[in-house]
């Protein structure tokens, strides 16, 4: 009897949900997760969708800019992995990706005093260092930070017979070099802040980790999310749902009244209402604005996740030259790695070039023979972002002249692109990373991702974006998946 009553109530509930004419959705943010949420909703017959975007463009942290007769990526650049990577799965049947051959060729190690050291020892320690890093990522439930584990395991390995003849300066340099490259990968200031345990718990899609969009740029992914490619007749016209220059400042919701619409207020005073709101702004935006963004305030446990899950920053500088003056005929150039002497490091610091000491090296760019790219993370990225293009060009020329005297005179680049994520109020950094604070506070991504539900369990305010992806946090495919996940929550509520 009780069973029949409950079943009857559930059916009534489902049919009421299905019958309601109001299934409107506002999506805050026109990045990957905002677009994937819109796609999934439109595919399920939800037609009242509005996307409010603070800036004047779509893409968010996917931002391809013209350079060297192609597009280079200010934000996401590589598709990391193939198996289980939703971006790869969506696009690869129709597009042939390029690849940055990171593992195929060793870098060239150069020193700030202009000498190119004997490469063999550097290369063997560098290769050992990456083996140590790879091994750490397979340890089940490791303790401590990635930095701690690296130093312990690396120091143990170099004490072995194959490496102990290598001098201390070379060992120190390789330790520091891999530290800098790790900061560039995670957007951290120090690898002693990366939780090895949480890092172990996030997934990595197997396959090539450095697939490129050749000369087209990552923005190409939006052709496939919107379904204007490969078949234009299937275009979902998501672009037409976006209202630009709408910086959302407040989302007012009432969980006690499931029939009510939430009110979204923008910085220009305009307001929009909808039954569901999906917030996709970055974790950096949430950290700075969550107290004023949501009325009533977010639950304490979600606030704890916002505070303790970390958000880092990476910086890039692309330089286009008239020719590839660094290329030695018959070889494949991958990267120069820079080793600073204390004297030159102090000189850089004394002349307001401290940010340069965070640079691990300078890299080739797939498909662009005349481009070089700097890529680094850490505490000095703000200094880099605030400097003018001209200052950065002069600083880089100073550095290249010092490290690569055999290539003098170093020509000026004819065009550059400099990134600016930390100092852009729409992002306030690059992407999330698994921090020691997160581990200590037991804060979870699931909590960050959880929806605020009305008394009838209807998801009222939902959260998407890379930082809410438990499987692939920080990654573009994690962002894509998170938009689908939020949309699915709404779709499944209506049964
Ligand atoms: C420098 C850099 C390099 C990266 N490299 C890679 C890589 O190689 N591979 C990879 O897989 N991933 C990479 N990523 C990560 C990847 O770009 C992100 O995971 C993904 O693009 C995030 O998408 P999202 O939808 O979560 O957020 P976003 O792209 O940030 O979208 C959120 C949108 O919300 C808007 N917004 C913010 N606040 C408001 C507001 N108050 N009101 C209205 N709108 C607002 C923003 O303008 C933005 O358009 C990189 C990121 C950066 C920055």
């Amino acid at each position: 009897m009780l069973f029949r009553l409950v079943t009857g109530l559930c059916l009534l509930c489902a049919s009421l949900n299905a019958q309601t004419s109001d299934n409107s959705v506002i999506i805050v943010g026109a990045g990957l997760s905002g677009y994937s949420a819109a796609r999934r909703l439109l595919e399920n017959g939800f037609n009242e969708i509005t996307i409010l975007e603070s800036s004047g463009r779509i893409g968010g942290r996917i931002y391809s800019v013209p350079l060297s007769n192609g597009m280079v990526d200010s934000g996401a650049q590589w598709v990391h992995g193939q198996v289980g990577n939703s971006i790869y799965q969506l696009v690869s049947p129709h597009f042939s990706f390029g690849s940055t051959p990171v593992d195929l060729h060793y870098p060239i190690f150069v020193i700030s005093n202009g000498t190119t050291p004997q490469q063999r020892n550097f290369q063997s320690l560098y290769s050992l260092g990456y083996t140590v890093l790879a091994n750490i990522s397979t340890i089940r439930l490791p303790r401590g930070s990635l930095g701690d584990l690296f130093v312990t395991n690396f120091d143990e390995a170099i004490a072995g017979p194959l490496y102990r003849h290598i001098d201390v300066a070379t060992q120190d340099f390789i330790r520091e070099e891999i530290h800098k490259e790790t900061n560039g990968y995670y957007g951290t200031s120090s690898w002693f802040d990366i939780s090895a345990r949480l890092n172990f718990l996030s997934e990595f899609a197997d396959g090539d980790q450095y697939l490129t969009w050749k000369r087209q740029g990552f923005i190409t992914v939006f052709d496939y999310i919107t379904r204007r490619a490969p078949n234009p007749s299937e275009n979902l016209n998501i672009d037409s749902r976006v209202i630009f220059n709408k910086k959302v400042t407040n989302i007012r919701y009432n969980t006690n009244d499931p029939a009510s619409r939430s009110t979204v207020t923008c910085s220009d005073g305009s307001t929009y209402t909808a039954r569901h709101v999906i917030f996709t702004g970055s974790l950096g935006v949430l950290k700075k604005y969550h107290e004023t963004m949501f009325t009533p305030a977010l639950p304490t446990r979600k606030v704890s996740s916002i505070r303790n899950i970390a958000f880092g920053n990476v910086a890039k500088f692309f330089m286009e030259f008239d020719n590839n003056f660094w290329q030695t005929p018959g070889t494949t150039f991958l990267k120069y790695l820079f080793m600073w002497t204390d004297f030159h490091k102090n000189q850089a610091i004394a002349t307001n070039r401290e940010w340069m000491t965070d640079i691990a090296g300078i890299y080739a760019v797939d498909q662009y023979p005349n481009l070089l790219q700097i890529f680094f993370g850490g505490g000095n990225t703000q200094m880099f972002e605030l400097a003018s293009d001209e200052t950065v060009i002069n600083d880089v020329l100073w550095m290249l002249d010092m490290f690569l005297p055999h290539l003098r005179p170093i020509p000026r680049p004819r065009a550059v692109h400099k990134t600016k994520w930390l100092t852009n109020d729409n992002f306030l950094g690059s992407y999330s990373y698994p921090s020691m604070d997160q581990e200590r506070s037991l804060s979870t991504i699931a909590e960050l991702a959880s929806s605020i539900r009305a008394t009838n369990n209807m998801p009222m305010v939902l959260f998407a974006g890379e930082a809410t992806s438990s499987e692939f946090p920080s990654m573009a495919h994690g962002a894509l998946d998170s938009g689908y996940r939020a949309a699915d929550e709404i779709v499944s509520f209506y049964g």
Side-chain angles (χ1 to χ4, degrees):
M1 181 64 184
L2 180 65
F3 171 76
R4 282 173 61 186
L5 181 68
V6 171
T7 314
L9 280 174
C10 288
L11 285 174
L12 180 69
C13 228
S15 83
L16 278 179
N17 290 338
Q19 278 166 19
T20 180
S21 56
D22 186 4
N23 57 13
S24 51
V25 184
I26 288 174
I27 299 171
V28 180
L32 262 183
S33 58
Y35 261 58
S36 60
R39 170 184 169 137
R40 184 60 60 85
L41 289 167
L42 287 165
E43 286 173 338
N44 282 279
F46 288 69
N47 285 316
E48 209 187 317
I49 296 173
T50 306
I51 305 178
L52 300 174
E53 168 55 47
S54 164
S55 73
R57 62 172 179 86
I58 69 156
R61 282 171 275 168
I62 306 290
Y63 184 28
S64 306
V65 293
L67 194 72
S68 200
N69 295 322
M71 303 296 265
V72 296
D73 281 301
S74 195
Q77 183 167 352
W78 293 283
V79 174
H80 293 304
Q82 294 158 297
V83 183
N85 182 321
S86 51
I87 292 183
Y88 182 78
Q89 284 163 357
L90 179 71
V91 179
S92 62
H94 320 287
F95 178 81
S96 158
F97 285 98
S99 176
T100 301
V102 237
D103 301 327
L104 294 185
H105 305 275
Y106 286 120
I108 303 167
F109 296 88
V110 286
I111 306 183
S112 57
N113 62 14
T115 58
T116 304
Q118 207 268 344
Q119 299 288 302
R120 206 167 41 138
N121 287 346
F122 283 90
Q123 290 177 345
S124 70
L125 276 194
Y126 185 71
S127 163
L128 173 73
Y130 274 96
T131 306
V132 167
L133 260 191
N135 288 343
I136 290 171
S137 66
T138 63
I139 303 173
R140 286 190 68 78
L141 301 180
R143 282 165 175 272
S145 71
L146 197 59
D148 287 326
L149 282 174
F150 180 86
V151 172
T152 308
N153 287 290
F154 184 71
D155 287 2
E156 211 169 89
I158 56 179
L162 282 179
Y163 304 101
R164 63 172 166 242
H165 65 282
I166 299 176
D167 62 282
V168 174
T170 305
Q171 296 172 0
D172 288 347
F173 168 60
I174 294 298
R175 217 183 276 107
E176 186 52 22
E177 200 55 26
I178 295 179
H179 184 190
K180 285 185 199 173
E181 288 199 317
T182 305
N183 284 336
Y185 185 80
Y186 287 91
T188 42
S189 298
S190 162
W191 58 3
F192 297 110
D193 189 33
I194 303 169
S195 157
R197 177 172 299 207
L198 295 175
N199 193 50
F200 171 81
L201 291 175
S202 60
E203 303 274 327
F204 286 92
D206 280 340
D208 191 333
Q209 295 300 309
Y210 289 94
L211 295 169
T212 73
W213 298 83
K214 294 183 172 161
R215 296 174 70 91
Q216 295 190 203
F218 214 127
I219 198 70
T220 310
V221 72
F222 282 82
D223 292 342
Y224 295 92
I225 297 172
T226 56
R227 296 192 4 192
R228 56 179 171 254
N231 186 353
S233 66
E234 290 179 11
N235 190 350
L236 290 167
N237 281 316
I238 300 177
D239 293 351
S240 66
R241 313 269 172 171
V242 183
I243 311 180
F244 291 106
N245 304 310
K246 289 290 177 187
K247 187 181 179 78
V248 171
T249 53
N250 182 258
I251 299 165
R252 181 177 288 276
Y253 59 96
N254 181 359
T255 51
N256 293 321
D257 182 3
S260 64
R261 284 182 158 214
S262 299
T263 302
V264 177
T265 305
C266 301
S267 59
D268 60 5
S270 55
T271 56
Y272 299 81
T273 63
R275 207 150 177 247
H276 311 273
V277 179
I278 304 178
F279 184 87
T280 76
S282 76
L283 178 57
V285 170
L286 275 177
K287 279 179 188 291
K288 182 170 175 191
Y289 291 115
H290 73 88
E291 283 174 355
T292 47
M293 185 71 78
F294 300 94
T295 310
L298 295 174
T300 317
R301 289 195 52 207
K302 189 186 279 289
V303 170
S304 166
S305 297
I306 291 172
R307 292 203 172 120
N308 289 304
I309 298 177
F311 198 62
N313 192 42
V314 298
K316 302 188 203 178
F317 193 58
F318 290 96
M319 290 165 286
E320 183 196 4
F321 292 93
D322 287 335
N323 55 54
N324 50 1
F325 63 92
W326 55 88
Q327 184 69 54
T328 312
T331 62
T332 305
F333 169 75
L334 185 64
K335 57 186 172 184
Y336 282 115
L337 290 185
F338 297 144
M339 178 165 110
W340 293 82
T341 62
D342 286 346
F343 174 80
H344 290 110
K345 197 182 240 182
N346 289 335
Q347 201 178 11
I349 293 168
T351 52
N352 279 330
R353 296 176 174 121
E354 191 167 352
W355 65 269
M356 309 203 87
T357 63
D358 287 344
I359 296 173
I362 195 158
Y363 304 85
V365 185
D366 181 44
Q367 312 284 327
Y368 289 96
N370 295 347
L371 283 193
L372 285 177
Q373 170 180 13
I374 286 170
F375 186 99
F376 68 105
N380 289 314
T381 50
Q382 181 172 16
M383 186 178 192
F384 164 83
E385 290 191 6
L386 294 176
S388 67
D389 280 6
E390 198 51 28
T391 302
V392 172
I393 290 171
N394 289 334
D395 287 354
V396 172
L397 291 179
W398 172 80
M399 183 177 74
L400 295 183
D401 186 74
M402 195 161 65
F403 279 93
L404 306 169
H406 62 286
L407 297 178
R408 283 178 188 157
I410 308 286
R412 278 186 89 73
R414 59 149 77 157
V416 297
H417 175 74
K418 173 171 160 287
T419 60
K420 208 174 176 183
W421 296 102
L422 184 66
T423 52
N424 182 332
D425 206 50
N426 292 328
F427 305 99
L428 298 161
S430 58
Y431 39 78
S432 59
Y433 68 88
S435 67
M436 292 306 293
D437 273 352
Q438 183 188 343
E439 181 182 323
R440 281 188 284 262
S441 64
L442 304 178
S443 302
T444 63
I445 293 176
E447 190 60 51
L448 185 68
S450 65
S451 318
I452 294 176
R453 290 178 174 261
T455 44
N456 68 344
N457 208 31
M458 181 189 81
M460 230 172 191
V461 182
L462 301 96
F463 294 82
E466 57 78 15
T468 70
S469 163
S470 295
E471 270 190 310
F472 302 113
S474 84
M475 308 275 175
H477 50 289
L480 188 84
D481 296 347
S482 73
Y484 288 146
R485 188 252 311 134
D488 286 343
E489 267 189 60
I490 296 175
V491 172
S492 63
F493 174 74
Y494 291 95

